[in-house]
Amino acid sequence: MSDALPSNYDQSLYSAHNRLFFRLFQVGNTLDRKCSNELGISPVHWAVLGALSRPRVQSGMSFSDLTEYLGVSRQNLDAVLKRLERDGLVQRIISEHDRRAKNVALTAEGLKTWESLQDDFFNFYAQALDTLAFDDVVTLIHLLNKVNDGLKSIKIEQQAASS
């Protein structure tokens, strides 16, 4: 074991954590591949359309609120929105509250596309989660929320390199 490891280092715990984060990585990659191959849509496009399809944001939501809601960077979201705008699925409209700001909203075509995908989404969910009971799904959501909160709170202080 290296001297650089913390004094409370536990190999079993580290191994379990490593496996968990690797599985999350695999799940993300599998989701990306299956969405593209089976649904013809990327997970981030799916997430943007889903976020904007919610009834409380029918008139759109600010770019900043959308980045926060989705947990993506401004640069990544901007690139995704440009493609969705090009495809006629979303639009940026001047905010009613601040004429300098723009909100992002689904177009009529975007809403129609979202609605046309619902049966495929339902089938996708059903197949992906076929082996999980309802209570397992609820528990998994709860646990993933805890992992996400933990990730958001990470602050690793960089130690000065020893000379």
mmCIF file of all heavy atoms in Angstrom, residues 65-107:
data_model
loop_
_atom_site.group_PDB
_atom_site.id
_atom_site.type_symbol
_atom_site.label_atom_id
_atom_site.label_comp_id
_atom_site.label_asym_id
_atom_site.label_seq_id
_atom_site.Cartn_x
_atom_site.Cartn_y
_atom_site.Cartn_z
ATOM 1 N N ASP A 65 -31.587 27.306 -15.848
ATOM 2 C CA ASP A 65 -32.421 26.337 -15.128
ATOM 3 C C ASP A 65 -32.360 24.967 -15.793
ATOM 4 O O ASP A 65 -32.345 23.939 -15.108
ATOM 5 C CB ASP A 65 -33.869 26.809 -15.045
ATOM 6 C CG ASP A 65 -34.065 27.961 -14.081
ATOM 7 O OD1 ASP A 65 -33.146 28.252 -13.282
ATOM 8 O OD2 ASP A 65 -35.155 28.585 -14.129
ATOM 9 N N LEU A 66 -32.306 24.951 -17.110
ATOM 10 C CA LEU A 66 -32.246 23.682 -17.836
ATOM 11 C C LEU A 66 -30.909 22.979 -17.589
ATOM 12 O O LEU A 66 -30.883 21.759 -17.373
ATOM 13 C CB LEU A 66 -32.486 23.905 -19.334
ATOM 14 C CG LEU A 66 -32.669 22.668 -20.203
ATOM 15 C CD1 LEU A 66 -33.775 21.755 -19.690
ATOM 16 C CD2 LEU A 66 -32.936 23.084 -21.655
ATOM 17 N N THR A 67 -29.805 23.725 -17.576
ATOM 18 C CA THR A 67 -28.510 23.095 -17.281
ATOM 19 C C THR A 67 -28.510 22.521 -15.871
ATOM 20 O O THR A 67 -28.028 21.412 -15.652
ATOM 21 C CB THR A 67 -27.312 24.068 -17.424
ATOM 22 O OG1 THR A 67 -27.472 25.145 -16.526
ATOM 23 C CG2 THR A 67 -27.147 24.559 -18.840
ATOM 24 N N GLU A 68 -29.076 23.262 -14.935
ATOM 25 C CA GLU A 68 -29.127 22.794 -13.538
ATOM 26 C C GLU A 68 -30.017 21.553 -13.419
ATOM 27 O O GLU A 68 -29.653 20.581 -12.766
ATOM 28 C CB GLU A 68 -29.650 23.917 -12.643
ATOM 29 C CG GLU A 68 -29.703 23.568 -11.181
ATOM 30 C CD GLU A 68 -28.329 23.378 -10.556
ATOM 31 O OE1 GLU A 68 -27.358 23.975 -11.034
ATOM 32 O OE2 GLU A 68 -28.241 22.595 -9.583
ATOM 33 N N TYR A 69 -31.177 21.593 -14.041
ATOM 34 C CA TYR A 69 -32.122 20.477 -13.975
ATOM 35 C C TYR A 69 -31.511 19.194 -14.552
ATOM 36 O O TYR A 69 -31.657 18.112 -13.983
ATOM 37 C CB TYR A 69 -33.406 20.846 -14.717
ATOM 38 C CG TYR A 69 -34.477 19.788 -14.662
ATOM 39 C CD1 TYR A 69 -35.225 19.583 -13.509
ATOM 40 C CD2 TYR A 69 -34.741 18.981 -15.767
ATOM 41 C CE1 TYR A 69 -36.200 18.599 -13.446
ATOM 42 C CE2 TYR A 69 -35.717 17.998 -15.714
ATOM 43 C CZ TYR A 69 -36.449 17.815 -14.549
ATOM 44 O OH TYR A 69 -37.412 16.841 -14.501
ATOM 45 N N LEU A 70 -30.817 19.331 -15.678
ATOM 46 C CA LEU A 70 -30.248 18.159 -16.352
ATOM 47 C C LEU A 70 -28.883 17.756 -15.793
ATOM 48 O O LEU A 70 -28.442 16.635 -16.012
ATOM 49 C CB LEU A 70 -30.112 18.430 -17.856
ATOM 50 C CG LEU A 70 -31.411 18.650 -18.618
ATOM 51 C CD1 LEU A 70 -31.121 19.076 -20.047
ATOM 52 C CD2 LEU A 70 -32.287 17.408 -18.579
ATOM 53 N N GLY A 71 -28.224 18.674 -15.110
ATOM 54 C CA GLY A 71 -26.895 18.381 -14.585
ATOM 55 C C GLY A 71 -25.835 18.311 -15.668
ATOM 56 O O GLY A 71 -24.928 17.482 -15.600
ATOM 57 N N VAL A 72 -25.951 19.175 -16.664
ATOM 58 C CA VAL A 72 -24.989 19.206 -17.763
ATOM 59 C C VAL A 72 -24.319 20.576 -17.817
ATOM 60 O O VAL A 72 -24.825 21.544 -17.258
ATOM 61 C CB VAL A 72 -25.653 18.895 -19.131
ATOM 62 C CG1 VAL A 72 -26.217 17.490 -19.157
ATOM 63 C CG2 VAL A 72 -26.731 19.907 -19.469
ATOM 64 N N SER A 73 -23.196 20.649 -18.522
ATOM 65 C CA SER A 73 -22.496 21.921 -18.665
ATOM 66 C C SER A 73 -23.220 22.805 -19.678
ATOM 67 O O SER A 73 -23.956 22.318 -20.542
ATOM 68 C CB SER A 73 -21.054 21.704 -19.108
ATOM 69 O OG SER A 73 -21.020 21.283 -20.466
ATOM 70 N N ARG A 74 -22.978 24.092 -19.568
ATOM 71 C CA ARG A 74 -23.562 25.052 -20.509
ATOM 72 C C ARG A 74 -23.118 24.746 -21.945
ATOM 73 O O ARG A 74 -23.913 24.819 -22.871
ATOM 74 C CB ARG A 74 -23.184 26.478 -20.123
ATOM 75 C CG ARG A 74 -23.750 26.915 -18.783
ATOM 76 C CD ARG A 74 -23.339 28.333 -18.419
ATOM 77 N NE ARG A 74 -23.912 29.353 -19.272
ATOM 78 C CZ ARG A 74 -25.151 29.830 -19.170
ATOM 79 N NH1 ARG A 74 -25.949 29.383 -18.218
ATOM 80 N NH2 ARG A 74 -25.592 30.751 -19.992
ATOM 81 N N GLN A 75 -21.838 24.406 -22.101
ATOM 82 C CA GLN A 75 -21.304 24.121 -23.436
ATOM 83 C C GLN A 75 -21.965 22.888 -24.047
ATOM 84 O O GLN A 75 -22.338 22.899 -25.222
ATOM 85 C CB GLN A 75 -19.777 23.914 -23.386
ATOM 86 C CG GLN A 75 -19.001 25.134 -22.983
ATOM 87 C CD GLN A 75 -18.939 25.343 -21.468
ATOM 88 O OE1 GLN A 75 -19.456 24.557 -20.676
ATOM 89 N NE2 GLN A 75 -18.320 26.437 -21.055
ATOM 90 N N ASN A 76 -22.112 21.817 -23.254
ATOM 91 C CA ASN A 76 -22.745 20.602 -23.769
ATOM 92 C C ASN A 76 -24.202 20.849 -24.116
ATOM 93 O O ASN A 76 -24.690 20.390 -25.152
ATOM 94 C CB ASN A 76 -22.627 19.457 -22.770
ATOM 95 C CG ASN A 76 -21.233 18.876 -22.714
ATOM 96 O OD1 ASN A 76 -20.395 19.154 -23.567
ATOM 97 N ND2 ASN A 76 -20.963 18.085 -21.704
ATOM 98 N N LEU A 77 -24.908 21.568 -23.235
ATOM 99 C CA LEU A 77 -26.320 21.834 -23.510
ATOM 100 C C LEU A 77 -26.473 22.695 -24.749
ATOM 101 O O LEU A 77 -27.365 22.451 -25.568
ATOM 102 C CB LEU A 77 -26.995 22.497 -22.308
ATOM 103 C CG LEU A 77 -28.477 22.781 -22.495
ATOM 104 C CD1 LEU A 77 -29.267 21.494 -22.766
ATOM 105 C CD2 LEU A 77 -29.045 23.503 -21.279
ATOM 106 N N ASP A 78 -25.614 23.700 -24.910
ATOM 107 C CA ASP A 78 -25.717 24.571 -26.077
ATOM 108 C C ASP A 78 -25.568 23.765 -27.367
ATOM 109 O O ASP A 78 -26.334 23.963 -28.316
ATOM 110 C CB ASP A 78 -24.663 25.682 -26.006
ATOM 111 C CG ASP A 78 -24.873 26.724 -27.089
ATOM 112 O OD1 ASP A 78 -25.986 27.297 -27.160
ATOM 113 O OD2 ASP A 78 -23.931 26.962 -27.878
ATOM 114 N N ALA A 79 -24.617 22.842 -27.395
ATOM 115 C CA ALA A 79 -24.417 22.010 -28.596
ATOM 116 C C ALA A 79 -25.649 21.146 -28.874
ATOM 117 O O ALA A 79 -26.080 21.013 -30.028
ATOM 118 C CB ALA A 79 -23.178 21.135 -28.426
ATOM 119 N N VAL A 80 -26.229 20.579 -27.826
ATOM 120 C CA VAL A 80 -27.428 19.747 -27.984
ATOM 121 C C VAL A 80 -28.593 20.605 -28.487
ATOM 122 O O VAL A 80 -29.325 20.208 -29.403
ATOM 123 C CB VAL A 80 -27.789 19.051 -26.651
ATOM 124 C CG1 VAL A 80 -29.165 18.405 -26.712
ATOM 125 C CG2 VAL A 80 -26.732 18.017 -26.299
ATOM 126 N N LEU A 81 -28.765 21.778 -27.886
ATOM 127 C CA LEU A 81 -29.871 22.646 -28.287
ATOM 128 C C LEU A 81 -29.732 23.098 -29.733
ATOM 129 O O LEU A 81 -30.735 23.183 -30.452
ATOM 130 C CB LEU A 81 -29.973 23.859 -27.362
ATOM 131 C CG LEU A 81 -30.440 23.566 -25.938
ATOM 132 C CD1 LEU A 81 -30.464 24.849 -25.115
ATOM 133 C CD2 LEU A 81 -31.803 22.891 -25.925
ATOM 134 N N LYS A 82 -28.522 23.358 -30.178
ATOM 135 C CA LYS A 82 -28.321 23.763 -31.578
ATOM 136 C C LYS A 82 -28.806 22.669 -32.523
ATOM 137 O O LYS A 82 -29.451 22.955 -33.535
ATOM 138 C CB LYS A 82 -26.859 24.107 -31.837
ATOM 139 C CG LYS A 82 -26.477 25.458 -31.268
ATOM 140 C CD LYS A 82 -25.017 25.787 -31.493
ATOM 141 C CE LYS A 82 -24.717 27.155 -30.890
ATOM 142 N NZ LYS A 82 -23.300 27.482 -30.905
ATOM 143 N N ARG A 83 -28.510 21.421 -32.188
ATOM 144 C CA ARG A 83 -28.957 20.314 -33.041
ATOM 145 C C ARG A 83 -30.488 20.185 -32.987
ATOM 146 O O ARG A 83 -31.143 20.009 -34.007
ATOM 147 C CB ARG A 83 -28.310 19.005 -32.618
ATOM 148 C CG ARG A 83 -28.817 17.858 -33.466
ATOM 149 C CD ARG A 83 -27.913 16.675 -33.471
ATOM 150 N NE ARG A 83 -28.480 15.689 -34.379
ATOM 151 C CZ ARG A 83 -28.480 14.402 -34.163
ATOM 152 N NH1 ARG A 83 -27.904 13.918 -33.098
ATOM 153 N NH2 ARG A 83 -29.040 13.587 -35.014
ATOM 154 N N LEU A 84 -31.069 20.274 -31.784
ATOM 155 C CA LEU A 84 -32.524 20.177 -31.654
ATOM 156 C C LEU A 84 -33.223 21.361 -32.329
ATOM 157 O O LEU A 84 -34.304 21.195 -32.898
ATOM 158 C CB LEU A 84 -32.913 20.066 -30.176
ATOM 159 C CG LEU A 84 -32.513 18.758 -29.481
ATOM 160 C CD1 LEU A 84 -32.765 18.844 -27.975
ATOM 161 C CD2 LEU A 84 -33.242 17.572 -30.087
ATOM 162 N N GLU A 85 -32.602 22.524 -32.292
ATOM 163 C CA GLU A 85 -33.151 23.685 -33.009
ATOM 164 C C GLU A 85 -33.104 23.446 -34.512
ATOM 165 O O GLU A 85 -34.077 23.718 -35.229
ATOM 166 C CB GLU A 85 -32.358 24.959 -32.675
ATOM 167 C CG GLU A 85 -32.659 25.536 -31.314
ATOM 168 C CD GLU A 85 -31.775 26.720 -30.988
ATOM 169 O OE1 GLU A 85 -30.523 26.606 -31.074
ATOM 170 O OE2 GLU A 85 -32.327 27.770 -30.621
ATOM 171 N N ARG A 86 -31.968 22.945 -34.980
ATOM 172 C CA ARG A 86 -31.822 22.638 -36.409
ATOM 173 C C ARG A 86 -32.883 21.645 -36.873
ATOM 174 O O ARG A 86 -33.427 21.754 -37.967
ATOM 175 C CB ARG A 86 -30.417 22.100 -36.680
ATOM 176 C CG ARG A 86 -30.117 21.899 -38.157
ATOM 177 C CD ARG A 86 -28.850 21.115 -38.400
ATOM 178 N NE ARG A 86 -29.091 19.735 -37.999
ATOM 179 C CZ ARG A 86 -28.246 18.989 -37.303
ATOM 180 N NH1 ARG A 86 -27.081 19.464 -36.937
ATOM 181 N NH2 ARG A 86 -28.541 17.743 -36.982
ATOM 182 N N ASP A 87 -33.214 20.683 -35.987
ATOM 183 C CA ASP A 87 -34.224 19.679 -36.311
ATOM 184 C C ASP A 87 -35.644 20.192 -36.102
ATOM 185 O O ASP A 87 -36.609 19.452 -36.341
ATOM 186 C CB ASP A 87 -34.008 18.417 -35.468
ATOM 187 C CG ASP A 87 -32.708 17.690 -35.827
ATOM 188 O OD1 ASP A 87 -32.124 17.970 -36.896
ATOM 189 O OD2 ASP A 87 -32.267 16.847 -35.021
ATOM 190 N N GLY A 88 -35.773 21.429 -35.624
ATOM 191 C CA GLY A 88 -37.091 22.035 -35.436
ATOM 192 C C GLY A 88 -37.841 21.543 -34.204
ATOM 193 O O GLY A 88 -39.063 21.681 -34.131
ATOM 194 N N LEU A 89 -37.116 20.985 -33.213
ATOM 195 C CA LEU A 89 -37.775 20.409 -32.040
ATOM 196 C C LEU A 89 -37.820 21.357 -30.842
ATOM 197 O O LEU A 89 -38.696 21.226 -29.989
ATOM 198 C CB LEU A 89 -37.093 19.095 -31.644
ATOM 199 C CG LEU A 89 -37.048 18.027 -32.742
ATOM 200 C CD1 LEU A 89 -36.324 16.785 -32.252
ATOM 201 C CD2 LEU A 89 -38.453 17.686 -33.223
ATOM 202 N N VAL A 90 -36.870 22.276 -30.765
ATOM 203 C CA VAL A 90 -36.867 23.273 -29.696
ATOM 204 C C VAL A 90 -36.613 24.648 -30.297
ATOM 205 O O VAL A 90 -36.135 24.770 -31.428
ATOM 206 C CB VAL A 90 -35.815 22.991 -28.581
ATOM 207 C CG1 VAL A 90 -36.019 21.622 -27.958
ATOM 208 C CG2 VAL A 90 -34.410 23.156 -29.082
ATOM 209 N N GLN A 91 -36.935 25.658 -29.506
ATOM 210 C CA GLN A 91 -36.670 27.031 -29.919
ATOM 211 C C GLN A 91 -36.260 27.849 -28.702
ATOM 212 O O GLN A 91 -36.603 27.510 -27.580
ATOM 213 C CB GLN A 91 -37.910 27.648 -30.560
ATOM 214 C CG GLN A 91 -39.108 27.701 -29.633
ATOM 215 C CD GLN A 91 -40.361 28.163 -30.331
ATOM 216 O OE1 GLN A 91 -40.295 28.797 -31.371
ATOM 217 N NE2 GLN A 91 -41.511 27.844 -29.765
ATOM 218 N N ARG A 92 -35.491 28.878 -28.960
ATOM 219 C CA ARG A 92 -35.131 29.807 -27.890
ATOM 220 C C ARG A 92 -35.986 31.042 -28.100
ATOM 221 O O ARG A 92 -36.015 31.612 -29.191
ATOM 222 C CB ARG A 92 -33.644 30.142 -27.941
ATOM 223 C CG ARG A 92 -32.783 28.900 -27.730
ATOM 224 C CD ARG A 92 -31.323 29.236 -27.674
ATOM 225 N NE ARG A 92 -30.526 28.121 -28.158
ATOM 226 C CZ ARG A 92 -29.317 27.841 -27.726
ATOM 227 N NH1 ARG A 92 -28.746 28.572 -26.805
ATOM 228 N NH2 ARG A 92 -28.650 26.821 -28.219
ATOM 229 N N ILE A 93 -36.693 31.400 -27.051
ATOM 230 C CA ILE A 93 -37.624 32.529 -27.135
ATOM 231 C C ILE A 93 -37.283 33.554 -26.058
ATOM 232 O O ILE A 93 -36.779 33.200 -24.993
ATOM 233 C CB ILE A 93 -39.092 32.066 -26.988
ATOM 234 C CG1 ILE A 93 -39.267 31.188 -25.751
ATOM 235 C CG2 ILE A 93 -39.554 31.318 -28.213
ATOM 236 C CD1 ILE A 93 -40.668 30.714 -25.491
ATOM 237 N N ILE A 94 -37.561 34.804 -26.348
ATOM 238 C CA ILE A 94 -37.275 35.871 -25.390
ATOM 239 C C ILE A 94 -38.151 35.689 -24.158
ATOM 240 O O ILE A 94 -39.354 35.460 -24.253
ATOM 241 C CB ILE A 94 -37.503 37.254 -26.042
ATOM 242 C CG1 ILE A 94 -36.494 37.455 -27.174
ATOM 243 C CG2 ILE A 94 -37.385 38.364 -25.011
ATOM 244 C CD1 ILE A 94 -36.708 38.702 -27.993
ATOM 245 N N SER A 95 -37.518 35.778 -22.997
ATOM 246 C CA SER A 95 -38.217 35.614 -21.722
ATOM 247 C C SER A 95 -39.210 36.746 -21.496
ATOM 248 O O SER A 95 -38.919 37.902 -21.793
ATOM 249 C CB SER A 95 -37.198 35.586 -20.576
ATOM 250 O OG SER A 95 -37.851 35.661 -19.331
ATOM 251 N N GLU A 96 -40.374 36.393 -20.966
ATOM 252 C CA GLU A 96 -41.379 37.404 -20.643
ATOM 253 C C GLU A 96 -40.929 38.261 -19.466
ATOM 254 O O GLU A 96 -41.318 39.411 -19.344
ATOM 255 C CB GLU A 96 -42.716 36.728 -20.299
ATOM 256 C CG GLU A 96 -43.317 35.951 -21.440
ATOM 257 C CD GLU A 96 -44.508 35.111 -21.007
ATOM 258 O OE1 GLU A 96 -44.881 35.147 -19.818
ATOM 259 O OE2 GLU A 96 -45.043 34.413 -21.875
ATOM 260 N N HIS A 97 -40.097 37.685 -18.580
ATOM 261 C CA HIS A 97 -39.671 38.374 -17.357
ATOM 262 C C HIS A 97 -38.425 39.220 -17.555
ATOM 263 O O HIS A 97 -38.220 40.192 -16.838
ATOM 264 C CB HIS A 97 -39.430 37.358 -16.235
ATOM 265 C CG HIS A 97 -40.620 36.480 -15.978
ATOM 266 N ND1 HIS A 97 -41.824 36.973 -15.559
ATOM 267 C CD2 HIS A 97 -40.776 35.143 -16.114
ATOM 268 C CE1 HIS A 97 -42.683 35.975 -15.437
ATOM 269 N NE2 HIS A 97 -42.076 34.862 -15.768
ATOM 270 N N ASP A 98 -37.566 38.834 -18.495
ATOM 271 C CA ASP A 98 -36.315 39.546 -18.738
ATOM 272 C C ASP A 98 -36.054 39.525 -20.236
ATOM 273 O O ASP A 98 -35.643 38.513 -20.789
ATOM 274 C CB ASP A 98 -35.174 38.872 -17.967
ATOM 275 C CG ASP A 98 -33.835 39.572 -18.160
ATOM 276 O OD1 ASP A 98 -33.752 40.534 -18.967
ATOM 277 O OD2 ASP A 98 -32.857 39.164 -17.499
ATOM 278 N N ARG A 99 -36.296 40.642 -20.889
ATOM 279 C CA ARG A 99 -36.199 40.727 -22.354
ATOM 280 C C ARG A 99 -34.793 40.391 -22.866
ATOM 281 O O ARG A 99 -34.621 40.093 -24.036
ATOM 282 C CB ARG A 99 -36.609 42.121 -22.848
ATOM 283 C CG ARG A 99 -37.964 42.612 -22.366
ATOM 284 C CD ARG A 99 -39.151 41.935 -22.954
ATOM 285 N NE ARG A 99 -39.267 42.089 -24.388
ATOM 286 C CZ ARG A 99 -39.996 41.300 -25.136
ATOM 287 N NH1 ARG A 99 -40.689 40.326 -24.612
ATOM 288 N NH2 ARG A 99 -40.074 41.485 -26.437
ATOM 289 N N ARG A 100 -33.774 40.462 -21.993
ATOM 290 C CA ARG A 100 -32.406 40.143 -22.414
ATOM 291 C C ARG A 100 -32.146 38.646 -22.403
ATOM 292 O O ARG A 100 -31.210 38.170 -23.038
ATOM 293 C CB ARG A 100 -31.387 40.823 -21.493
ATOM 294 C CG ARG A 100 -31.461 42.347 -21.529
ATOM 295 C CD ARG A 100 -30.669 42.931 -20.392
ATOM 296 N NE ARG A 100 -31.322 42.514 -19.129
ATOM 297 C CZ ARG A 100 -30.795 42.637 -17.940
ATOM 298 N NH1 ARG A 100 -29.621 43.161 -17.794
ATOM 299 N NH2 ARG A 100 -31.446 42.237 -16.866
ATOM 300 N N ALA A 101 -32.954 37.905 -21.659
ATOM 301 C CA ALA A 101 -32.753 36.458 -21.500
ATOM 302 C C ALA A 101 -33.629 35.682 -22.481
ATOM 303 O O ALA A 101 -34.666 36.175 -22.929
ATOM 304 C CB ALA A 101 -33.081 36.044 -20.074
ATOM 305 N N LYS A 102 -33.184 34.475 -22.772
ATOM 306 C CA LYS A 102 -33.967 33.592 -23.638
ATOM 307 C C LYS A 102 -34.318 32.328 -22.884
ATOM 308 O O LYS A 102 -33.506 31.789 -22.138
ATOM 309 C CB LYS A 102 -33.195 33.250 -24.912
ATOM 310 C CG LYS A 102 -33.060 34.429 -25.853
ATOM 311 C CD LYS A 102 -32.549 33.993 -27.191
ATOM 312 C CE LYS A 102 -32.529 35.198 -28.121
ATOM 313 N NZ LYS A 102 -32.050 34.832 -29.447
ATOM 314 N N ASN A 103 -35.525 31.863 -23.098
ATOM 315 C CA ASN A 103 -35.978 30.578 -22.571
ATOM 316 C C ASN A 103 -35.899 29.553 -23.681
ATOM 317 O O ASN A 103 -35.941 29.889 -24.864
ATOM 318 C CB ASN A 103 -37.415 30.670 -22.059
ATOM 319 C CG ASN A 103 -37.517 31.371 -20.730
ATOM 320 O OD1 ASN A 103 -36.533 31.541 -20.029
ATOM 321 N ND2 ASN A 103 -38.716 31.783 -20.378
ATOM 322 N N VAL A 104 -35.805 28.304 -23.292
ATOM 323 C CA VAL A 104 -35.800 27.197 -24.240
ATOM 324 C C VAL A 104 -37.149 26.506 -24.105
ATOM 325 O O VAL A 104 -37.601 26.226 -22.993
ATOM 326 C CB VAL A 104 -34.664 26.200 -23.923
ATOM 327 C CG1 VAL A 104 -34.651 25.066 -24.933
ATOM 328 C CG2 VAL A 104 -33.324 26.912 -23.878
ATOM 329 N N ALA A 105 -37.799 26.253 -25.233
ATOM 330 C CA ALA A 105 -39.117 25.615 -25.219
ATOM 331 C C ALA A 105 -39.225 24.628 -26.371
ATOM 332 O O ALA A 105 -38.538 24.762 -27.386
ATOM 333 C CB ALA A 105 -40.215 26.674 -25.332
ATOM 334 N N LEU A 106 -40.089 23.646 -26.182
ATOM 335 C CA LEU A 106 -40.405 22.734 -27.280
ATOM 336 C C LEU A 106 -41.198 23.480 -28.339
ATOM 337 O O LEU A 106 -42.035 24.334 -28.019
ATOM 338 C CB LEU A 106 -41.257 21.567 -26.789
ATOM 339 C CG LEU A 106 -40.601 20.475 -25.975
ATOM 340 C CD1 LEU A 106 -41.643 19.420 -25.589
ATOM 341 C CD2 LEU A 106 -39.451 19.829 -26.709
ATOM 342 N N THR A 107 -40.957 23.143 -29.582
ATOM 343 C CA THR A 107 -41.824 23.613 -30.659
ATOM 344 C C THR A 107 -43.020 22.662 -30.734
ATOM 345 O O THR A 107 -43.025 21.612 -30.065
ATOM 346 C CB THR A 107 -41.076 23.587 -32.010
ATOM 347 O OG1 THR A 107 -40.725 22.223 -32.297
ATOM 348 C CG2 THR A 107 -39.841 24.473 -31.986
#
